[in-house]
Amino acid sequence: MAKAIPGRELLLLLCGVNHWLEEEPSVYSVSQGKSLFILYRNVAFHIDDFWELFALSMANIDKTWSICALGTAQNQETVRLLSQEKDGSLSLIQQSLSGKSTSSLETLCFQVDCPDQETSDPLYSLLTSINWRVGLAALDWKDADFLRQQKLFIGPDPGGFYCYGGTESDGSFGDCLLSLNFMQKIALWNAFLKDGFEPIEFEWLAEEIAEDTLSNRMEWELALYQVMEQLHFRLINQEKAFELFDASGRRLYFGADGRKAAAWSLLKILFPLNYQ
């Protein structure tokens, strides 16, 4: 078997497990540690089914990053599952303190041991940030090199406030917006209202609004109001005219027919019916 790219292989493995178990994992990392624990609670599975679906992926990952799967047997002891390639064939290993084999397990936890913290830190960021529904994560640009090394970098390059990672190289901008969490939306609005920065995410947002295809609109609105409150902005709305003042009392001017995507998006989020 050819040597796989472990980060990409791991993300594909987890997407497959999510679909199989109909669950999404919780991800943990010991402080300043190199090991990640990817935990699926309240699940049960047959080991033979697990091997059939995921043994090859685990063996590919294990060539670079040590990986095992842990579960709880009926007798309440922990069982460790390993898949390793030996002499061109797969070796499927089941380990426990008693040495007794079992056919099924409850709970599933993958333990991934990275070679260094420079690998484990961005991997942890990826797995804790990802929106599993679309298979994308929005990350800080400090993690871009890791995404490129693991063949997970989607873009944009340049112009994005965040960089985006996932297994699909042609992820849409709509999916990129879906990958943003509430705090990341707050950071985007803050970048615009406080610093005047208009990253490409606002162009995506404006297009989604214009096409009436924006998901999680309420979250964008709540994030906007949160930033306005933090910055002590004051909004006065009278019929089809409004005034927005910053903390110093200076009035900010936005035109609904303007070409600035961030300003246009702000108006459409605040006043969806006023500016049709």
Side-chain angles (χ1 to χ4, degrees):
M1 292 182 294
K3 188 173 181 179
I5 301 170
R8 184 175 183 84
E9 192 76 26
L10 177 63
L11 195 56
L12 288 169
L13 167 68
L14 296 178
C15 288
V17 173
N18 291 355
H19 180 74
W20 181 53
L21 296 176
E22 298 182 348
E23 292 285 345
E24 295 179 1
S26 300
V27 182
Y28 305 98
S29 176
V30 179
S31 179
Q32 296 183 341
K34 297 183 290 185
S35 297
L36 271 63
F37 301 91
I38 304 159
L39 178 64
Y40 294 85
R41 296 185 177 90
N42 305 316
V43 300
F45 61 95
H46 291 285
I47 293 175
D48 285 346
D49 294 339
F50 176 82
W51 283 141
E52 182 179 355
L53 293 169
F54 306 116
L56 181 59
S57 292
M58 285 186 62
N60 282 333
I61 297 165
D62 194 69
K63 293 176 182 180
T64 308
W65 300 343
S66 175
I67 183 172
C68 68
L70 305 167
T72 303
Q74 190 173 7
N75 65 3
Q76 296 303 298
E77 71 175 342
T78 298
V79 174
R80 181 186 299 266
L81 304 176
L82 301 101
S83 176
Q84 299 172 341
E85 182 192 3
K86 292 184 178 180
D87 300 323
S89 62
L90 286 180
S91 177
L92 307 180
I93 305 166
Q94 184 179 146
Q95 298 175 337
S96 65
L97 287 176
S98 69
K100 295 179 179 179
S101 63
T102 183
S103 61
S104 62
L105 295 172
E106 294 181 355
T107 309
L108 173 61
C109 179
F110 291 99
Q111 179 178 337
V112 180
D113 298 324
C114 299
D116 48 51
Q117 197 169 344
E118 287 70 26
T119 301
S120 63
D121 283 353
L123 179 60
Y124 178 76
S125 296
L126 171 67
L127 296 181
T128 53
S129 300
I130 192 168
N131 181 323
W132 292 108
R133 186 159 68 88
V134 295
L136 287 175
L139 300 175
D140 293 335
W141 278 97
K142 64 181 177 61
D143 297 322
D145 286 344
F146 171 81
L147 294 177
R148 291 189 177 97
Q149 292 165 3
Q150 300 302 321
K151 304 300 182 185
L152 294 170
F153 183 81
I154 291 176
D157 197 5
F161 194 80
Y162 298 102
C163 64
Y164 297 83
T167 59
E168 300 295 331
S169 59
D170 58 347
S172 69
F173 59 75
D175 286 344
C176 289
L177 289 179
L178 280 173
S179 72
L180 295 168
N181 61 39
F182 184 62
M183 297 307 297
Q184 289 171 326
K185 292 182 175 74
I186 285 178
L188 279 168
W189 285 122
N190 190 72
F192 171 56
L193 290 177
K194 181 181 179 181
D195 303 321
F197 181 45
E198 299 187 45
I200 198 171
E201 282 88 350
F202 284 115
E203 295 182 20
W204 301 342
L205 179 60
E207 186 165 344
E208 288 284 285
I209 293 172
E211 296 293 330
D212 199 25
T213 55
L214 179 64
S215 299
N216 298 330
R217 182 195 178 281
M218 177 61 70
E219 196 169 73
W220 283 100
E221 182 177 352
L222 293 174
L224 174 55
Y225 276 112
Q226 181 69 22
V227 171
M228 290 170 59
E229 181 177 344
Q230 291 174 352
L231 297 178
H232 304 291
F233 280 26
R234 184 166 54 93
L235 176 66
I236 300 175
N237 181 28
Q238 297 177 344
E239 295 183 358
K240 289 192 175 183
F242 85 101
E243 296 177 340
L244 182 63
F245 298 88
D246 65 16
S248 66
R250 179 174 61 92
R251 183 179 176 183
L252 305 178
Y253 292 90
F254 301 115
D257 57 350
R259 295 184 178 181
K260 294 291 187 179
W264 186 88
S265 297
L266 179 147
L267 291 174
K268 294 296 291 185
I269 291 291
L270 290 177
F271 310 111
L273 300 182
N274 292 44
Y275 300 98
Q276 297 292 339

